[in-house]
Amino acid sequence: MTEESSSRPATLLAQAGHYEDAATGGVTPPIQPSVTFARDRDYALRLDGVSYARDRSPTFLPAEHVLARLEGGAQALLFASGMAAATAVFRCLAPGDHVVAPRVMYWALRDWLQRFCAQWGLELDLYATGDDADLARRVRPGRTRLVWVETPCNPTWEVTDIAAAAAVAHAAGARLAVDSTVATPLLTRPLELGADLVFHSATKYLNGHSDVVAGALVTRDADAHWRAIADQRANGGAILGPFEAWLLLRGMRTLDVRLRRACDNAMTVARHFAAHPEVEAVLYPGLQEHPGHAVAARQMSGGFGGMLSLLVRGDAARARAVAGKMQVFVRATSLGGVESLVEHRASIEGPGSPVPPNLLRMSIGIEDPADLVADIEQALG
Ligand SMILES: *Cc1c(COP(=O)(O)O)cnc(C)c1O
């Protein structure tokens, strides 16, 4: 890595940490596919810790460097997926540990967590998402080891006060981990608000082009817990391929402009449909009537994200029919890409889902906002 010209996020991102290839002067890093790395006559390595690609690959380093700088953390680690990164955090807990997590959160993780806790002997308490007092009540001093929050959270976009959650977790001797996938490092800086660990599904906004599955963790301190997480990656083996790591950094370079356009488009859509007769409610933290708006306005800066949900007037069948009529929005899962997506979450999550049956989740992309508004209008009509 070369000397940085600026620590401002947009500059860091655009210049990939002011990258210049040491060997060639190239302004983008090369893909290094080698699995193993030669030692000199004295048995020294050229790059610290880079001897075998399952432990550390040179192709991970520029993206990890930029992420650590963006979040203001000591170190970052890329993983093979968001789930690989998130599950590494929980696998570092010991049987008998108590964990607090939201009731409404990224569904696949909550589903895995419930099974893993039962199997691994962890005690799991789910708090009412968006209710900071309920979170505080569930944290047990001396027993809780980890508090996991997601903000804004999928798919209702409730907001958790990170600073308040950090105070409660730390008073009890627990760590706070924040799933900041939807906020991205540009809109919220959880470590500055007191969190110990930040998680991103890099599949989403960080990469932004729906063509890489990846995850990332950033830590405030490179402490024993972090070393255990790094060991989970190295020896659990959930590493990203060099090409995927390279593509991820390529995507990250445009995060600032992509995200700002998505935030603007989401605000336009949210405002347009807030009072629509066929819409019961628009769930978007950028709207004043959203229950999390005050906290979001405090802990997010530069926008409220590109994710929103519409509660369509009617039942699940009506919501699915509206999604079925869309022509600009693509009916697909995932989020954070440049193209807009719509999803009927209750159909995906199945019975037992806490998601309202009339909810349509929308990942707002960077298209012309007039096309997005017109598409939803015609689908509701
Ligand atoms: C997608 C997602 C995950 C899981 O990440 P993968 O990259 O799909 O493994 C976790 N949390 C949130 C909020 C997500 O959107």
PDB file of all heavy atoms in Angstrom, residues 202-237:
ATOM      1  N   ALA A 202     -20.722  -8.001   2.040  1.00  0.00           N
ATOM      2  CA  ALA A 202     -20.106  -7.229   0.959  1.00  0.00           C
ATOM      3  C   ALA A 202     -20.719  -7.555  -0.392  1.00  0.00           C
ATOM      4  O   ALA A 202     -20.477  -6.872  -1.389  1.00  0.00           O
ATOM      5  CB  ALA A 202     -18.597  -7.487   0.935  1.00  0.00           C
ATOM      6  N   THR A 203     -21.567  -8.602  -0.396  1.00  0.00           N
ATOM      7  CA  THR A 203     -22.364  -8.968  -1.564  1.00  0.00           C
ATOM      8  C   THR A 203     -23.259  -7.802  -1.997  1.00  0.00           C
ATOM      9  O   THR A 203     -23.634  -7.716  -3.167  1.00  0.00           O
ATOM     10  CB  THR A 203     -23.286 -10.149  -1.190  1.00  0.00           C
ATOM     11  OG1 THR A 203     -22.512 -11.153  -0.538  1.00  0.00           O
ATOM     12  CG2 THR A 203     -23.994 -10.731  -2.384  1.00  0.00           C
ATOM     13  N   LYS A 204     -23.605  -6.946  -1.038  1.00  0.00           N
ATOM     14  CA  LYS A 204     -24.641  -5.947  -1.264  1.00  0.00           C
ATOM     15  C   LYS A 204     -24.008  -4.632  -1.732  1.00  0.00           C
ATOM     16  O   LYS A 204     -23.430  -4.590  -2.795  1.00  0.00           O
ATOM     17  CB  LYS A 204     -25.475  -5.796   0.008  1.00  0.00           C
ATOM     18  CG  LYS A 204     -25.902  -7.145   0.629  1.00  0.00           C
ATOM     19  CD  LYS A 204     -26.850  -7.941  -0.256  1.00  0.00           C
ATOM     20  CE  LYS A 204     -27.035  -9.381   0.195  1.00  0.00           C
ATOM     21  NZ  LYS A 204     -27.459  -9.568   1.567  1.00  0.00           N
ATOM     22  N   TYR A 205     -24.103  -3.538  -0.933  1.00  0.00           N
ATOM     23  CA  TYR A 205     -23.655  -2.237  -1.440  1.00  0.00           C
ATOM     24  C   TYR A 205     -22.161  -2.182  -1.726  1.00  0.00           C
ATOM     25  O   TYR A 205     -21.734  -1.521  -2.673  1.00  0.00           O
ATOM     26  CB  TYR A 205     -24.039  -1.117  -0.464  1.00  0.00           C
ATOM     27  CG  TYR A 205     -25.515  -0.868  -0.472  1.00  0.00           C
ATOM     28  CD1 TYR A 205     -26.325  -1.400   0.513  1.00  0.00           C
ATOM     29  CD2 TYR A 205     -26.105  -0.143  -1.510  1.00  0.00           C
ATOM     30  CE1 TYR A 205     -27.685  -1.211   0.483  1.00  0.00           C
ATOM     31  CE2 TYR A 205     -27.468   0.064  -1.547  1.00  0.00           C
ATOM     32  CZ  TYR A 205     -28.259  -0.474  -0.547  1.00  0.00           C
ATOM     33  OH  TYR A 205     -29.606  -0.284  -0.581  1.00  0.00           O
ATOM     34  N   LEU A 206     -21.342  -2.823  -0.886  1.00  0.00           N
ATOM     35  CA  LEU A 206     -19.893  -2.669  -1.065  1.00  0.00           C
ATOM     36  C   LEU A 206     -19.494  -3.095  -2.477  1.00  0.00           C
ATOM     37  O   LEU A 206     -18.790  -2.383  -3.176  1.00  0.00           O
ATOM     38  CB  LEU A 206     -19.119  -3.450  -0.005  1.00  0.00           C
ATOM     39  CG  LEU A 206     -19.246  -2.915   1.429  1.00  0.00           C
ATOM     40  CD1 LEU A 206     -18.491  -3.821   2.402  1.00  0.00           C
ATOM     41  CD2 LEU A 206     -18.702  -1.489   1.539  1.00  0.00           C
ATOM     42  N   ASN A 207     -19.947  -4.270  -2.894  1.00  0.00           N
ATOM     43  CA  ASN A 207     -19.649  -4.688  -4.271  1.00  0.00           C
ATOM     44  C   ASN A 207     -20.586  -3.985  -5.255  1.00  0.00           C
ATOM     45  O   ASN A 207     -20.140  -3.431  -6.256  1.00  0.00           O
ATOM     46  CB  ASN A 207     -19.750  -6.199  -4.421  1.00  0.00           C
ATOM     47  CG  ASN A 207     -19.444  -6.605  -5.852  1.00  0.00           C
ATOM     48  OD1 ASN A 207     -18.343  -6.392  -6.337  1.00  0.00           O
ATOM     49  ND2 ASN A 207     -20.442  -7.138  -6.552  1.00  0.00           N
ATOM     50  N   GLY A 208     -21.881  -4.070  -4.980  1.00  0.00           N
ATOM     51  CA  GLY A 208     -22.838  -3.230  -5.678  1.00  0.00           C
ATOM     52  C   GLY A 208     -23.285  -3.633  -7.069  1.00  0.00           C
ATOM     53  O   GLY A 208     -24.097  -2.946  -7.678  1.00  0.00           O
ATOM     54  N   HIS A 209     -22.781  -4.743  -7.583  1.00  0.00           N
ATOM     55  CA  HIS A 209     -23.138  -5.110  -8.954  1.00  0.00           C
ATOM     56  C   HIS A 209     -23.734  -6.504  -9.059  1.00  0.00           C
ATOM     57  O   HIS A 209     -23.803  -7.071 -10.158  1.00  0.00           O
ATOM     58  CB  HIS A 209     -21.917  -4.987  -9.865  1.00  0.00           C
ATOM     59  CG  HIS A 209     -21.425  -3.576 -10.006  1.00  0.00           C
ATOM     60  ND1 HIS A 209     -20.716  -2.939  -9.016  1.00  0.00           N
ATOM     61  CD2 HIS A 209     -21.569  -2.666 -11.001  1.00  0.00           C
ATOM     62  CE1 HIS A 209     -20.433  -1.706  -9.407  1.00  0.00           C
ATOM     63  NE2 HIS A 209     -20.953  -1.515 -10.603  1.00  0.00           N
ATOM     64  N   SER A 210     -24.163  -7.068  -7.936  1.00  0.00           N
ATOM     65  CA  SER A 210     -24.835  -8.372  -7.916  1.00  0.00           C
ATOM     66  C   SER A 210     -24.020  -9.444  -8.647  1.00  0.00           C
ATOM     67  O   SER A 210     -24.592 -10.298  -9.322  1.00  0.00           O
ATOM     68  CB  SER A 210     -26.241  -8.254  -8.548  1.00  0.00           C
ATOM     69  OG  SER A 210     -26.969  -7.226  -7.915  1.00  0.00           O
ATOM     70  N   ASP A 211     -22.686  -9.370  -8.512  1.00  0.00           N
ATOM     71  CA  ASP A 211     -21.880 -10.391  -9.181  1.00  0.00           C
ATOM     72  C   ASP A 211     -20.774 -10.997  -8.301  1.00  0.00           C
ATOM     73  O   ASP A 211     -19.911 -11.704  -8.805  1.00  0.00           O
ATOM     74  CB  ASP A 211     -21.285  -9.845 -10.497  1.00  0.00           C
ATOM     75  CG  ASP A 211     -20.516  -8.544 -10.316  1.00  0.00           C
ATOM     76  OD1 ASP A 211     -20.266  -8.144  -9.164  1.00  0.00           O
ATOM     77  OD2 ASP A 211     -20.168  -7.918 -11.343  1.00  0.00           O
ATOM     78  N   VAL A 212     -20.811 -10.705  -6.993  1.00  0.00           N
ATOM     79  CA  VAL A 212     -19.852 -11.306  -6.064  1.00  0.00           C
ATOM     80  C   VAL A 212     -20.579 -11.602  -4.755  1.00  0.00           C
ATOM     81  O   VAL A 212     -21.329 -10.751  -4.274  1.00  0.00           O
ATOM     82  CB  VAL A 212     -18.680 -10.348  -5.735  1.00  0.00           C
ATOM     83  CG1 VAL A 212     -17.782 -10.953  -4.656  1.00  0.00           C
ATOM     84  CG2 VAL A 212     -17.849 -10.046  -6.971  1.00  0.00           C
ATOM     85  N   VAL A 213     -20.368 -12.787  -4.199  1.00  0.00           N
ATOM     86  CA  VAL A 213     -20.812 -13.084  -2.837  1.00  0.00           C
ATOM     87  C   VAL A 213     -19.582 -12.931  -1.941  1.00  0.00           C
ATOM     88  O   VAL A 213     -18.552 -13.566  -2.195  1.00  0.00           O
ATOM     89  CB  VAL A 213     -21.389 -14.509  -2.725  1.00  0.00           C
ATOM     90  CG1 VAL A 213     -21.712 -14.857  -1.277  1.00  0.00           C
ATOM     91  CG2 VAL A 213     -22.645 -14.639  -3.580  1.00  0.00           C
ATOM     92  N   ALA A 214     -19.688 -12.066  -0.929  1.00  0.00           N
ATOM     93  CA  ALA A 214     -18.536 -11.818  -0.057  1.00  0.00           C
ATOM     94  C   ALA A 214     -19.013 -11.241   1.263  1.00  0.00           C
ATOM     95  O   ALA A 214     -20.118 -10.689   1.357  1.00  0.00           O
ATOM     96  CB  ALA A 214     -17.557 -10.839  -0.718  1.00  0.00           C
ATOM     97  N   GLY A 215     -18.191 -11.369   2.285  1.00  0.00           N
ATOM     98  CA  GLY A 215     -18.507 -10.786   3.588  1.00  0.00           C
ATOM     99  C   GLY A 215     -17.284 -10.108   4.157  1.00  0.00           C
ATOM    100  O   GLY A 215     -16.162 -10.336   3.682  1.00  0.00           O
ATOM    101  N   ALA A 216     -17.510  -9.255   5.166  1.00  0.00           N
ATOM    102  CA  ALA A 216     -16.374  -8.572   5.794  1.00  0.00           C
ATOM    103  C   ALA A 216     -16.680  -8.305   7.260  1.00  0.00           C
ATOM    104  O   ALA A 216     -17.835  -8.084   7.633  1.00  0.00           O
ATOM    105  CB  ALA A 216     -16.086  -7.257   5.079  1.00  0.00           C
ATOM    106  N   LEU A 217     -15.645  -8.346   8.073  1.00  0.00           N
ATOM    107  CA  LEU A 217     -15.720  -7.917   9.467  1.00  0.00           C
ATOM    108  C   LEU A 217     -14.638  -6.876   9.683  1.00  0.00           C
ATOM    109  O   LEU A 217     -13.542  -6.993   9.130  1.00  0.00           O
ATOM    110  CB  LEU A 217     -15.474  -9.091  10.417  1.00  0.00           C
ATOM    111  CG  LEU A 217     -16.536 -10.189  10.453  1.00  0.00           C
ATOM    112  CD1 LEU A 217     -16.023 -11.369  11.276  1.00  0.00           C
ATOM    113  CD2 LEU A 217     -17.849  -9.673  11.047  1.00  0.00           C
ATOM    114  N   VAL A 218     -14.959  -5.873  10.498  1.00  0.00           N
ATOM    115  CA  VAL A 218     -13.959  -4.877  10.890  1.00  0.00           C
ATOM    116  C   VAL A 218     -13.991  -4.792  12.409  1.00  0.00           C
ATOM    117  O   VAL A 218     -15.067  -4.744  13.016  1.00  0.00           O
ATOM    118  CB  VAL A 218     -14.266  -3.486  10.288  1.00  0.00           C
ATOM    119  CG1 VAL A 218     -13.119  -2.527  10.594  1.00  0.00           C
ATOM    120  CG2 VAL A 218     -14.506  -3.564   8.788  1.00  0.00           C
ATOM    121  N   THR A 219     -12.802  -4.790  13.027  1.00  0.00           N
ATOM    122  CA  THR A 219     -12.730  -4.738  14.482  1.00  0.00           C
ATOM    123  C   THR A 219     -12.148  -3.420  14.958  1.00  0.00           C
ATOM    124  O   THR A 219     -11.328  -2.810  14.265  1.00  0.00           O
ATOM    125  CB  THR A 219     -11.864  -5.889  15.039  1.00  0.00           C
ATOM    126  OG1 THR A 219     -11.969  -5.933  16.458  1.00  0.00           O
ATOM    127  CG2 THR A 219     -10.384  -5.742  14.654  1.00  0.00           C
ATOM    128  N   ARG A 220     -12.603  -3.022  16.160  1.00  0.00           N
ATOM    129  CA  ARG A 220     -12.017  -1.831  16.782  1.00  0.00           C
ATOM    130  C   ARG A 220     -10.598  -2.160  17.270  1.00  0.00           C
ATOM    131  O   ARG A 220      -9.669  -1.414  17.065  1.00  0.00           O
ATOM    132  CB  ARG A 220     -12.892  -1.415  17.961  1.00  0.00           C
ATOM    133  CG  ARG A 220     -12.307  -0.265  18.775  1.00  0.00           C
ATOM    134  CD  ARG A 220     -12.707  -0.380  20.224  1.00  0.00           C
ATOM    135  NE  ARG A 220     -14.123  -0.222  20.411  1.00  0.00           N
ATOM    136  CZ  ARG A 220     -14.724   0.977  20.428  1.00  0.00           C
ATOM    137  NH1 ARG A 220     -14.031   2.065  20.297  1.00  0.00           N
ATOM    138  NH2 ARG A 220     -16.021   1.049  20.603  1.00  0.00           N
ATOM    139  N   ASP A 221     -10.454  -3.348  17.918  1.00  0.00           N
ATOM    140  CA  ASP A 221      -9.156  -3.753  18.481  1.00  0.00           C
ATOM    141  C   ASP A 221      -8.760  -5.116  17.936  1.00  0.00           C
ATOM    142  O   ASP A 221      -9.603  -6.005  17.823  1.00  0.00           O
ATOM    143  CB  ASP A 221      -9.247  -3.880  20.009  1.00  0.00           C
ATOM    144  CG  ASP A 221      -9.689  -2.585  20.662  1.00  0.00           C
ATOM    145  OD1 ASP A 221      -9.102  -1.543  20.340  1.00  0.00           O
ATOM    146  OD2 ASP A 221     -10.633  -2.628  21.477  1.00  0.00           O
ATOM    147  N   ALA A 222      -7.495  -5.277  17.654  1.00  0.00           N
ATOM    148  CA  ALA A 222      -7.002  -6.593  17.221  1.00  0.00           C
ATOM    149  C   ALA A 222      -6.677  -7.406  18.477  1.00  0.00           C
ATOM    150  O   ALA A 222      -5.523  -7.711  18.764  1.00  0.00           O
ATOM    151  CB  ALA A 222      -5.787  -6.421  16.330  1.00  0.00           C
ATOM    152  N   ASP A 223      -7.724  -7.760  19.237  1.00  0.00           N
ATOM    153  CA  ASP A 223      -7.561  -8.424  20.532  1.00  0.00           C
ATOM    154  C   ASP A 223      -7.716  -9.949  20.390  1.00  0.00           C
ATOM    155  O   ASP A 223      -7.761 -10.475  19.275  1.00  0.00           O
ATOM    156  CB  ASP A 223      -8.579  -7.862  21.539  1.00  0.00           C
ATOM    157  CG  ASP A 223     -10.009  -7.973  21.008  1.00  0.00           C
ATOM    158  OD1 ASP A 223     -10.223  -8.609  19.952  1.00  0.00           O
ATOM    159  OD2 ASP A 223     -10.921  -7.422  21.654  1.00  0.00           O
ATOM    160  N   ALA A 224      -7.790 -10.643  21.508  1.00  0.00           N
ATOM    161  CA  ALA A 224      -7.845 -12.112  21.486  1.00  0.00           C
ATOM    162  C   ALA A 224      -9.103 -12.599  20.743  1.00  0.00           C
ATOM    163  O   ALA A 224      -9.057 -13.587  20.007  1.00  0.00           O
ATOM    164  CB  ALA A 224      -7.826 -12.649  22.915  1.00  0.00           C
ATOM    165  N   HIS A 225     -10.213 -11.898  20.939  1.00  0.00           N
ATOM    166  CA  HIS A 225     -11.464 -12.285  20.265  1.00  0.00           C
ATOM    167  C   HIS A 225     -11.302 -12.168  18.746  1.00  0.00           C
ATOM    168  O   HIS A 225     -11.746 -13.025  17.986  1.00  0.00           O
ATOM    169  CB  HIS A 225     -12.600 -11.399  20.768  1.00  0.00           C
ATOM    170  CG  HIS A 225     -13.935 -11.756  20.217  1.00  0.00           C
ATOM    171  ND1 HIS A 225     -14.608 -10.938  19.345  1.00  0.00           N
ATOM    172  CD2 HIS A 225     -14.720 -12.835  20.389  1.00  0.00           C
ATOM    173  CE1 HIS A 225     -15.752 -11.508  19.014  1.00  0.00           C
ATOM    174  NE2 HIS A 225     -15.858 -12.649  19.632  1.00  0.00           N
ATOM    175  N   TRP A 226     -10.628 -11.121  18.329  1.00  0.00           N
ATOM    176  CA  TRP A 226     -10.397 -10.924  16.885  1.00  0.00           C
ATOM    177  C   TRP A 226      -9.468 -12.010  16.337  1.00  0.00           C
ATOM    178  O   TRP A 226      -9.685 -12.529  15.238  1.00  0.00           O
ATOM    179  CB  TRP A 226      -9.815  -9.533  16.645  1.00  0.00           C
ATOM    180  CG  TRP A 226      -9.536  -9.235  15.203  1.00  0.00           C
ATOM    181  CD1 TRP A 226      -8.322  -9.091  14.613  1.00  0.00           C
ATOM    182  CD2 TRP A 226     -10.507  -9.043  14.159  1.00  0.00           C
ATOM    183  NE1 TRP A 226      -8.457  -8.816  13.270  1.00  0.00           N
ATOM    184  CE2 TRP A 226      -9.793  -8.783  12.964  1.00  0.00           C
ATOM    185  CE3 TRP A 226     -11.912  -9.069  14.117  1.00  0.00           C
ATOM    186  CZ2 TRP A 226     -10.432  -8.554  11.743  1.00  0.00           C
ATOM    187  CZ3 TRP A 226     -12.535  -8.832  12.900  1.00  0.00           C
ATOM    188  CH2 TRP A 226     -11.808  -8.584  11.733  1.00  0.00           C
ATOM    189  N   ARG A 227      -8.452 -12.362  17.125  1.00  0.00           N
ATOM    190  CA  ARG A 227      -7.545 -13.424  16.672  1.00  0.00           C
ATOM    191  C   ARG A 227      -8.302 -14.749  16.537  1.00  0.00           C
ATOM    192  O   ARG A 227      -8.035 -15.541  15.631  1.00  0.00           O
ATOM    193  CB  ARG A 227      -6.346 -13.557  17.613  1.00  0.00           C
ATOM    194  CG  ARG A 227      -5.340 -12.415  17.424  1.00  0.00           C
ATOM    195  CD  ARG A 227      -4.025 -12.695  18.137  1.00  0.00           C
ATOM    196  NE  ARG A 227      -4.159 -12.741  19.587  1.00  0.00           N
ATOM    197  CZ  ARG A 227      -4.215 -11.661  20.374  1.00  0.00           C
ATOM    198  NH1 ARG A 227      -4.128 -10.449  19.841  1.00  0.00           N
ATOM    199  NH2 ARG A 227      -4.356 -11.780  21.675  1.00  0.00           N
ATOM    200  N   ALA A 228      -9.262 -14.964  17.415  1.00  0.00           N
ATOM    201  CA  ALA A 228     -10.075 -16.185  17.304  1.00  0.00           C
ATOM    202  C   ALA A 228     -10.912 -16.156  16.022  1.00  0.00           C
ATOM    203  O   ALA A 228     -11.081 -17.180  15.337  1.00  0.00           O
ATOM    204  CB  ALA A 228     -10.977 -16.329  18.534  1.00  0.00           C
ATOM    205  N   ILE A 229     -11.421 -14.980  15.674  1.00  0.00           N
ATOM    206  CA  ILE A 229     -12.201 -14.837  14.433  1.00  0.00           C
ATOM    207  C   ILE A 229     -11.300 -15.074  13.221  1.00  0.00           C
ATOM    208  O   ILE A 229     -11.679 -15.775  12.269  1.00  0.00           O
ATOM    209  CB  ILE A 229     -12.876 -13.443  14.380  1.00  0.00           C
ATOM    210  CG1 ILE A 229     -14.007 -13.372  15.414  1.00  0.00           C
ATOM    211  CG2 ILE A 229     -13.405 -13.144  12.985  1.00  0.00           C
ATOM    212  CD1 ILE A 229     -14.603 -11.989  15.591  1.00  0.00           C
ATOM    213  N   ALA A 230     -10.084 -14.516  13.264  1.00  0.00           N
ATOM    214  CA  ALA A 230      -9.142 -14.726  12.155  1.00  0.00           C
ATOM    215  C   ALA A 230      -8.803 -16.209  12.029  1.00  0.00           C
ATOM    216  O   ALA A 230      -8.659 -16.740  10.915  1.00  0.00           O
ATOM    217  CB  ALA A 230      -7.874 -13.902  12.388  1.00  0.00           C
ATOM    218  N   ASP A 231      -8.701 -16.882  13.168  1.00  0.00           N
ATOM    219  CA  ASP A 231      -8.432 -18.327  13.151  1.00  0.00           C
ATOM    220  C   ASP A 231      -9.615 -19.086  12.538  1.00  0.00           C
ATOM    221  O   ASP A 231      -9.433 -20.057  11.801  1.00  0.00           O
ATOM    222  CB  ASP A 231      -8.168 -18.803  14.583  1.00  0.00           C
ATOM    223  CG  ASP A 231      -7.833 -20.289  14.614  1.00  0.00           C
ATOM    224  OD1 ASP A 231      -6.707 -20.628  14.206  1.00  0.00           O
ATOM    225  OD2 ASP A 231      -8.705 -21.095  15.000  1.00  0.00           O
ATOM    226  N   GLN A 232     -10.838 -18.602  12.823  1.00  0.00           N
ATOM    227  CA  GLN A 232     -12.027 -19.206  12.205  1.00  0.00           C
ATOM    228  C   GLN A 232     -11.941 -19.121  10.683  1.00  0.00           C
ATOM    229  O   GLN A 232     -12.290 -20.064   9.983  1.00  0.00           O
ATOM    230  CB  GLN A 232     -13.295 -18.468  12.648  1.00  0.00           C
ATOM    231  CG  GLN A 232     -13.845 -18.895  13.976  1.00  0.00           C
ATOM    232  CD  GLN A 232     -14.407 -20.304  13.930  1.00  0.00           C
ATOM    233  OE1 GLN A 232     -14.926 -20.758  12.912  1.00  0.00           O
ATOM    234  NE2 GLN A 232     -14.287 -21.013  15.036  1.00  0.00           N
ATOM    235  N   ARG A 233     -11.471 -17.975  10.192  1.00  0.00           N
ATOM    236  CA  ARG A 233     -11.376 -17.850   8.734  1.00  0.00           C
ATOM    237  C   ARG A 233     -10.283 -18.762   8.189  1.00  0.00           C
ATOM    238  O   ARG A 233     -10.504 -19.503   7.231  1.00  0.00           O
ATOM    239  CB  ARG A 233     -11.105 -16.408   8.306  1.00  0.00           C
ATOM    240  CG  ARG A 233     -11.163 -16.278   6.789  1.00  0.00           C
ATOM    241  CD  ARG A 233     -10.852 -14.900   6.281  1.00  0.00           C
ATOM    242  NE  ARG A 233      -9.427 -14.609   6.319  1.00  0.00           N
ATOM    243  CZ  ARG A 233      -8.851 -13.564   5.718  1.00  0.00           C
ATOM    244  NH1 ARG A 233      -9.609 -12.700   5.069  1.00  0.00           N
ATOM    245  NH2 ARG A 233      -7.558 -13.355   5.808  1.00  0.00           N
ATOM    246  N   ALA A 234      -9.108 -18.695   8.802  1.00  0.00           N
ATOM    247  CA  ALA A 234      -7.969 -19.450   8.268  1.00  0.00           C
ATOM    248  C   ALA A 234      -8.226 -20.952   8.345  1.00  0.00           C
ATOM    249  O   ALA A 234      -7.937 -21.686   7.389  1.00  0.00           O
ATOM    250  CB  ALA A 234      -6.704 -19.092   9.037  1.00  0.00           C
ATOM    251  N   ASN A 235      -8.761 -21.406   9.465  1.00  0.00           N
ATOM    252  CA  ASN A 235      -8.884 -22.853   9.658  1.00  0.00           C
ATOM    253  C   ASN A 235     -10.287 -23.381   9.372  1.00  0.00           C
ATOM    254  O   ASN A 235     -10.446 -24.557   9.057  1.00  0.00           O
ATOM    255  CB  ASN A 235      -8.402 -23.231  11.052  1.00  0.00           C
ATOM    256  CG  ASN A 235      -6.908 -22.934  11.169  1.00  0.00           C
ATOM    257  OD1 ASN A 235      -6.145 -23.272  10.270  1.00  0.00           O
ATOM    258  ND2 ASN A 235      -6.517 -22.250  12.221  1.00  0.00           N
ATOM    259  N   GLY A 236     -11.302 -22.491   9.461  1.00  0.00           N
ATOM    260  CA  GLY A 236     -12.618 -22.874   8.939  1.00  0.00           C
ATOM    261  C   GLY A 236     -12.557 -22.854   7.415  1.00  0.00           C
ATOM    262  O   GLY A 236     -13.279 -23.582   6.741  1.00  0.00           O
ATOM    263  N   GLY A 237     -11.685 -22.031   6.878  1.00  0.00           N
ATOM    264  CA  GLY A 237     -11.397 -22.051   5.448  1.00  0.00           C
ATOM    265  C   GLY A 237     -12.376 -21.293   4.577  1.00  0.00           C
ATOM    266  O   GLY A 237     -12.365 -21.462   3.354  1.00  0.00           O
TER     267      GLY A 237
END
